[in-house]
Amino acid sequence: MATCPECDFDEIDTADHEEGDTLSCPECGKNLVVLGAGELDFADDDDDDVDEDDVDDDELVDDEDEVDKEEDE
């Protein structure tokens, strides 16, 4: 058994899965990947969680410029 890193549901059966397999948490529905025996992590295809490291600095500057323009209007 494994525990969901999102909702802490601790009854996810990983016995029939191999390392690298993906599955969904039956409690919260998050997509998870099997890391090993009884170990889960978030699957890469989750677009809900965007790390700041994944955003280019140029994109941040463009967003700030747009906010400044809206404030001036």
Side-chain angles (χ1 to χ4, degrees):
M1 293 289 184
T3 302
C4 176
E6 175 72 16
C7 69
D8 294 327
F9 181 71
D10 62 355
E11 297 181 22
I12 300 174
D13 187 10
T14 58
D16 295 334
H17 297 280
E18 296 179 9
E19 186 176 332
D21 286 351
T22 57
L23 53 99
S24 294
C25 174
E27 187 72 16
C28 70
K30 275 290 191 186
N31 290 327
L32 305 170
V33 63
V34 178
L35 298 179
E39 255 186 277
L40 298 171
D41 197 6
F42 299 108
D44 290 336
D45 62 355
D46 274 345
D47 293 332
D48 297 340
D49 303 324
V50 176
D51 294 337
E52 288 184 22
D53 296 338
D54 294 341
V55 178
D56 291 340
D57 289 339
D58 294 339
E59 290 178 24
L60 292 175
V61 171
D62 290 343
D63 290 343
E64 289 173 4
D65 290 344
E66 288 178 23
V67 170
D68 289 341
K69 288 178 185 176
E70 289 175 6
E71 288 176 359
D72 290 342
E73 292 176 358

